[in-house]
Amino acid sequence: MTTAATDEAGDGTRALILALLALACGHMLSTLLRTIPAVSLDLMAADFRMEPQALASLTSVYPFAFAAAQIPVGAAMDRFGVRPVSLSLLAGTVVGAIASGFATGPESFAVGQVLLGIATSGMLMCPMTLAAKQLSAARFGLWSGAILSIGNIGMLLSSSPLAFVVDTWGWRAGFWLSALGGVVVALAVFVLVPHQPAEHKDESSPLSQMIEVLRLGFSRPLRGLIALALVSLATTLVLRGLWGGPWLMETKGLSRVEAGNQLGAFTLAMIVGPLCIGMIDRRLGRRRELVAGAHMAGALLLALMALGAPHYAISLLFGVPVMPPQYDLVLFVLIGLATSAQPLLFGMSRQLVDAQVAGKALAAINLAFFLGAALMQSVTGAVAALAGLPAVLLFMAAMLALGVLIFLAYTSSAP
């Protein structure tokens, strides 16, 4: 009897792991699609007969749609369950990827990006929600980091492999291959994710839920966390997903594949980073100082990268026309490691609010992450058009440092 029960528990654990892996692959697809412009922005802009900076601002419709859909998608998961919502989102992702791949101008491309933003908005919440319902708090902490790391593999795929695809078959092939990947992931979810009854946790309208999440986000306990969340993920997503490629190709003269290799190293650091930061957090037990110090280090590293441009301070200091690409490679890896403290903001939010509103606090942090990415992406397009790529990096460094200062002002050092 005991052996049978153990075998049944083992089968249940294996089934849950496979279900989480299938859903995490949806998050991987989301990060791939979000970062395609990083290695193809110049070709897309030439096809659409527009300036790359203008197209960069246009691509911000993706994270804006992504952020706007967060609360409605979360409500849908409570009402209908993870499996049907995930399958619906994956179907929308396939349609959005095909639409983006067949775009003939900025207007049709924007439509595809809006579809993708809405459809991929729940790709992180789906595995997180299933894990939160099925796992203990300790195991959920482990799996939340694993889900984020698996998702970041999508950015690894959009580095050198995507650069090769773009060079060989053109930028549209990246979206068509992503659509095919969406079909494969949807089949995996259909087979591996179990049916679960709807829970009807919150019957209020998505609008009232959104208002409640925003009210909680503006409350004093969470203000500091929200301020840092607005610029934290935004910095890494906009650097990795948009400006990293143009910086390496235009400022440093690398080929598309060489730039993809560097962005791949950046992504590997973003995959390993959350696990390393989690271990440091458990060992130190000083989460506030770790979050602030890591993000401030990220701001400093961004500024150092910008100052390595032609005729900027670091290049002048070393007496070279421009700092070599190896300099940027080291900085990319260090930035990826430093900004991996982002998931700790979720843990801090659960410590700072009452248990009954913990879910809404997590939603507020998540919303701030992606709304900040949308705002950063649109603003940096204007900065690039006005002052160039070094100014973009300095702007992001300044915003990250400001977020850290507000975070420190509104959070207490007391446990």
Side-chain angles (χ1 to χ4, degrees):
M1 182 72 176
T2 305
T3 304
T6 303
D7 289 344
E8 187 176 337
D11 290 342
T13 300
R14 280 192 294 273
L16 177 60
I17 289 172
L18 290 173
L20 288 173
L21 289 174
L23 292 169
C25 285
H27 180 42
M28 183 196 307
L29 184 64
S30 169
T31 61
L32 166 63
L33 284 162
R34 189 187 301 131
T35 52
I36 284 178
V39 293
S40 56
L41 188 69
D42 56 334
L43 298 178
M44 293 161 64
D47 256 15
F48 298 153
R49 295 180 176 84
M50 61 191 301
E51 289 296 317
Q53 294 87 346
L55 181 59
S57 292
L58 177 67
T59 59
S60 66
V61 299
Y62 183 128
F64 272 119
F66 191 107
Q70 290 289 311
I71 306 302
V73 168
M77 271 191 280
D78 277 343
R79 296 188 182 198
F80 305 113
V82 170
R83 187 174 186 267
V85 171
S86 177
L87 289 171
S88 300
L89 294 175
L90 284 163
T93 300
V94 171
V95 172
I98 292 172
S100 296
F102 280 105
T104 55
E107 295 84 5
S108 54
F109 184 69
V111 171
Q113 291 292 285
V114 168
L115 288 173
L116 283 175
I118 295 170
T120 59
S121 62
M123 294 303 187
L124 176 59
M125 284 193 287
C126 286
M128 288 290 195
T129 300
L130 183 64
K133 289 177 179 177
Q134 300 287 328
L135 299 173
S136 65
R139 293 184 69 201
F140 174 72
L142 172 68
W143 269 97
S144 62
I147 289 166
L148 288 167
S149 292
I150 292 168
N152 284 341
I153 294 173
M155 288 190 276
L156 198 60
L157 295 174
S158 69
S159 54
S160 302
L162 180 65
F164 173 78
V165 168
V166 170
D167 269 346
T168 309
W169 295 291
W171 66 266
R172 297 177 189 274
F175 286 105
W176 296 333
L177 287 173
S178 297
L180 181 61
V183 173
V184 173
V185 174
L187 289 173
V189 169
F190 183 80
V191 172
L192 297 172
V193 177
H195 291 277
Q196 287 183 317
E199 295 188 5
H200 300 281
K201 282 189 176 177
D202 192 342
E203 294 293 343
S204 60
S205 69
L207 178 61
S208 63
Q209 292 177 43
M210 176 73 82
I211 292 170
E212 176 62 19
V213 167
L214 292 175
R215 185 200 63 75
L216 188 61
F218 281 114
S219 66
R220 184 173 179 84
L222 290 189
R223 274 180 212 163
L225 276 66
I226 294 294
L228 187 52
L230 281 168
V231 293
S232 173
L233 187 65
T235 300
T236 50
L237 286 185
V238 173
L239 181 62
R240 173 60 189 83
L242 187 61
W243 296 117
W247 171 261
L248 292 169
M249 289 186 283
E250 295 173 18
T251 307
K252 297 305 173 87
L254 296 186
S255 70
R256 197 176 309 279
V257 172
E258 288 170 338
N261 290 337
Q262 289 220 13
L263 295 177
F266 181 25
T267 307
L268 283 172
M270 293 169 65
I271 292 170
V272 173
L275 303 175
C276 295
I277 291 285
M279 287 163 45
I280 294 169
D281 175 51
R282 284 193 295 272
R283 208 171 273 269
L284 284 183
R286 300 180 68 84
R287 183 169 289 176
R288 174 179 179 264
E289 290 79 2
L290 178 59
V291 169
H295 282 90
M296 191 60 84
L300 176 61
L301 292 164
L302 269 169
L304 289 174
M305 183 179 287
L307 296 175
H311 312 301
Y312 276 70
I314 301 293
S315 297
L316 293 174
L317 180 65
F318 283 91
V320 294
V322 61
M323 291 300 290
Q326 292 84 350
Y327 173 78
D328 300 88
L329 175 60
V330 172
L331 290 175
F332 271 126
V333 170
L334 293 175
I335 290 168
L337 293 172
T339 53
S340 292
Q342 293 153 357
L344 297 182
L345 291 173
F346 285 119
M348 289 189 72
S349 72
R350 297 186 70 169
Q351 294 172 324
L352 291 171
V353 298
D354 295 332
Q356 62 266 31
V357 293
K360 287 186 171 63
L362 293 175
I365 299 294
N366 204 38
L367 181 60
F369 275 142
F370 292 106
L371 180 60
L375 292 170
M376 184 79 81
Q377 193 160 322
S378 56
V379 172
T380 53
V383 173
L386 288 171
L389 292 181
V392 168
L393 299 184
L394 289 171
F395 174 80
M396 290 197 293
M399 290 298 100
L400 195 54
L402 179 61
V404 171
L405 293 177
I406 297 173
F407 169 81
L408 289 172
Y410 276 100
T411 55
S412 167
S413 59

